């Protein structure tokens, strides 16, 4: 039996050694759908051929990918190059050591393709742990045809939007609304309104603390109720009673009865494709309010590429990563499978090739040109999102008042932040 164990141990060791990466053998992991899988594998083949490396692809769907990465990073078995969801950075690398510091690889990776804000967003405790693959932000979207039927121009201010509610009801009927916000969209509208008014992000990325006072949060929550009262948005209860379907699946959106929303710039075709013939939408800038301290754009990396802190060949990984994000071979293969690229080099290459739809390009330019404080990755944390959306829903249903909702939101957010303090 002892002899058998020894043979088994030797066999396993040989297998592990045979499968371990040599100097030019790398692994890359990501999640996505079929189009992203195909584009990324093509990019890896092109970049591997250019730089003399072999890269094994490891791809899955979204479900379970976070748990897989957490397990791998904890055991030091992660891929050399990884697609990482931006909000995971403080979870996996709060002190900056969870991934390689790409500042140390700047001779290989051309970091000048990213602006300072994008670099900062991927930096943990001074270490550049993630390079933004694509940048996305929330913009206002309106149906100008429906507004015209109500005798109105598309709004540019909160006051104009609020004034549109009664006009829609009187001119078009009870079923017509100038805007919509429920669930996460409602929570983000509350966040935007408060950020504009106070000039502060809800959570400070520098200190991992909540910056708003309870009174400031109460004021933003009450703005949501004011929108319901003014027939600007459908009440949460009514939206739920109608099935709570996603906007792009809602026939009232397709028909133009709902004439406005607040969406990621990257979802242009998702929300425009279902429109009935004759209906159209336009992305606009951020609505302004009197006395605002900031536009308050909610802009973030949709995902980042990271290099393993345990990679046997970080230099080779850096060559492949730079090729995928900056060099013609990788950029042309990857295309817009992850949205409009953050890299200025990639964006220029794809634009020149006519590979970026004008609508996508125009919407992202609005996002990039807008101003606002940096967003904390934990704004995307499930516990923070639940604290915001669940308590806003209870408030919307009249089960708690604004003060209680604010208290419970702050408690939930601070509890989540304790993990990284």
């Amino acid at each position: 039996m002892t002899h058998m164990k020894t043979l088994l141990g030797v066999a396993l060791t040989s297998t592990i050694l045979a499968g371990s990466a040599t100097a030019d053998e790398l692994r890359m992991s990501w999640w996505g759908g079929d189009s992203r899988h195909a584009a990324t594998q093509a990019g890896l083949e092109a970049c591997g051929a250019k730089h003399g490396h072999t890269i094994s692809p490891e791809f899955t769907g979204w479900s379970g990918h976070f748990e897989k990465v957490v397990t791998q990073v904890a055991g030091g078995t992660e891929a050399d190059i990884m697609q990482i969801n931006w909000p995971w950075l403080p979870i996996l690398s709060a002190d900056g050591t969870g991934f390689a510091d790409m500042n140390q690889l700047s001779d290989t990776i051309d970091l000048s393709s990213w602006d300072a804000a994008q670099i900062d967003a991927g930096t943990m405790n001074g270490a550049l742990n993630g390079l933004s693959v694509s940048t996305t932000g929330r913009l206002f979207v309106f149906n100008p045809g429906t507004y015209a039927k109500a005798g109105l121009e598309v709004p540019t201010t909160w006051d104009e939007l609020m004034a549109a509610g009664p006009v829609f009801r009187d001119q078009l009927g009870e079923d017509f609304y100038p805007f919509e916000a429920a669930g996460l969209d409602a929570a983000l509208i509350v966040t935007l309104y408060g950020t504009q008014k106070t000039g502060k992000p809800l959570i400070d990325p520098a200190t991992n603390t909540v910056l708003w006072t309870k009174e400031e949060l109460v004021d933003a929550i009450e703005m949501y109720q004011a929108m319901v009262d003014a027939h600007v948005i459908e009440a949460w209860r009514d939206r739920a009673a109608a099935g709570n379907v996603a906007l792009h699946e809602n026939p009232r959106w397709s028909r133009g009865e709902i004439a406005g929303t607040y969406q990621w710039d990257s979802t242009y075709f998702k929300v425009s494709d279902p429109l009935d013939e004759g209906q159209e939408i336009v992305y606009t800038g951020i609505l302004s309010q009197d006395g605002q301290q900031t536009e308050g754009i909610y802009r973030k990396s949709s995902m980042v590429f990271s290099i393993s802190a345990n990679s046997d060949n970080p230099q080779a990984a850096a060559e492949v990563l730079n090729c995928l994000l900056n060099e013609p071979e990788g950029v042309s293969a990857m295309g817009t499978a992850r949205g409009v690229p953050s890299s200025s080099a990639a964006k220029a290459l794809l634009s020149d090739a006519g590979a970026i739809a004008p609508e996508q390009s125009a919407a992202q330019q609005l996002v990039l040109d807008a101003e606002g404080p940096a967003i904390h990755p934990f704004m995307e944390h499930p516990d923070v999102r639940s604290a915001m959306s669940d308590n806003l829903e209870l408030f919307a249903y009249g089960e708690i008042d604004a003060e209680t909702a604010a208290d419970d939101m702050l408690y939930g957010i601070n509890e989540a932040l304790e993990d990284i303090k």
Side-chain angles (χ1 to χ4, degrees):
M1 180 63 77
T2 302
H3 180 64
M4 181 67 72
K5 284 183 178 178
T6 302
L7 287 176
L8 181 60
V10 170
L12 285 172
T13 302
S14 300
T15 302
I16 291 168
L17 289 173
S20 63
T22 59
D24 59 355
E25 291 178 344
L26 304 167
R27 296 157 53 214
M28 179 174 175
S29 66
W30 71 90
W31 75 86
D34 290 344
S35 60
R36 184 181 296 174
H37 298 334
T40 309
Q41 289 180 91
L44 292 178
E45 288 181 17
C47 292
K50 178 176 182 178
H51 293 285
H53 305 306
T54 301
I55 311 104
S56 298
E58 301 176 5
F59 52 89
T60 66
W62 166 256
S63 180
H65 195 85
F66 172 65
E67 291 78 10
K68 175 185 174 183
V69 171
V70 169
T71 301
Q72 288 181 328
V73 170
T77 61
E78 70 271 20
D80 300 271
I81 306 167
M82 291 167 280
Q83 174 182 296
I84 296 294
N85 199 20
W86 176 65
W88 300 348
L89 289 178
I91 300 172
L92 296 169
S93 186
D95 63 356
T97 65
F99 300 106
D101 180 4
M102 285 181 276
N103 289 315
Q104 307 303 314
L105 298 165
S106 59
D107 287 347
T108 303
I109 304 172
D110 182 5
L111 298 180
S112 69
S113 289
W114 291 266
D115 63 29
Q118 292 167 330
I119 295 292
D120 287 346
T123 297
M124 300 301 300
N125 195 31
L128 180 55
N129 283 168
L131 268 180
S132 177
V133 180
S134 55
T135 301
T136 188
R138 285 265 172 163
L139 295 171
F140 284 83
V141 187
F142 293 108
N143 184 319
T146 304
Y147 269 84
K149 286 179 183 176
L152 298 170
E153 297 285 335
V154 165
T156 59
T157 69
W158 287 94
D159 284 346
E160 290 172 358
L161 178 62
M162 295 297 286
V167 176
F168 265 61
R169 182 181 57 217
D170 296 344
Q171 297 297 320
L172 303 177
E174 285 286 344
D175 291 338
F176 283 78
Y177 288 88
F179 203 64
E180 69 87 33
L184 174 62
D185 294 343
L188 288 176
I189 281 291
V190 166
T191 305
L192 169 64
Y193 185 82
T195 299
Q196 287 185 328
K197 195 164 187 177
T198 65
K200 300 178 292 188
L202 179 56
I203 308 173
D204 182 12
T207 61
N208 298 323
T209 57
V210 175
L211 292 185
W212 292 11
T213 65
K214 175 184 172 181
E215 291 71 28
E216 288 167 340
L217 183 51
V218 167
D219 181 64
I221 293 169
E222 289 179 338
M223 178 59 183
Y224 167 82
Q225 187 60 47
M227 296 174 77
V228 174
D229 294 342
H231 196 82
V232 173
I233 60 176
E234 189 174 19
W236 199 312
R237 186 191 302 273
D238 296 338
R239 177 82 176 263
N244 226 0
V245 295
L247 183 68
H248 64 281
E249 297 171 349
N250 191 334
R252 295 179 59 212
W253 168 256
S254 301
R255 295 193 297 262
E257 293 174 14
I258 297 170
T261 184
Y262 180 61
Q263 298 290 324
W264 301 114
D265 66 307
S266 53
T267 63
Y268 176 85
F269 292 107
K270 184 177 181 179
V271 296
S272 64
D273 285 350
L275 294 174
D276 291 351
E277 190 172 348
Q279 302 293 335
E280 64 169 333
I281 55 170
V282 293
Y283 272 80
T284 71
I286 308 298
L287 297 186
S288 62
Q289 57 178 288
D290 288 344
Q292 71 180 31
Q293 304 297 306
T294 175
E295 274 184 283
I297 182 72
Y298 191 103
R299 179 175 52 223
K300 70 183 184 79
S301 294
S302 51
M303 64 191 69
V304 299
F305 279 175
S306 300
I307 292 176
S308 167
N310 301 304
S311 176
D312 290 334
N313 198 335
Q315 192 68 37
E319 288 176 357
V320 173
L321 185 148
N322 188 66
C323 178
L324 292 173
L325 298 182
N326 279 332
E327 296 174 1
E329 296 84 354
V331 169
S332 61
M334 298 263 278
T336 57
R338 288 174 172 82
V340 177
S342 294
S343 160
S344 58
K347 199 181 304 179
L349 285 164
L350 292 177
S351 294
D352 291 346
I356 301 176
E359 297 91 344
Q360 284 180 299
S361 190
Q364 182 163 87
Q365 201 56 52
L366 286 172
V367 168
L368 297 177
D369 290 345
E371 178 264 332
I375 302 298
H376 194 293
F378 263 40
M379 286 300 294
E380 307 275 321
H381 192 288
D383 291 345
V384 172
R385 281 190 162 176
S386 292
M388 293 292 291
S389 295
D390 293 353
N391 288 297
L392 187 59
E393 182 176 12
L394 289 172
F395 168 75
Y397 273 72
E399 295 185 22
I400 58 176
D401 60 18
E403 287 75 14
T404 304
D407 280 334
D408 292 348
M409 285 179 187
L410 293 172
Y411 178 83
I413 295 168
N414 282 315
E415 197 170 51
L417 290 171
E418 284 299 319
D419 293 339
I420 55 171
K421 287 183 181 178

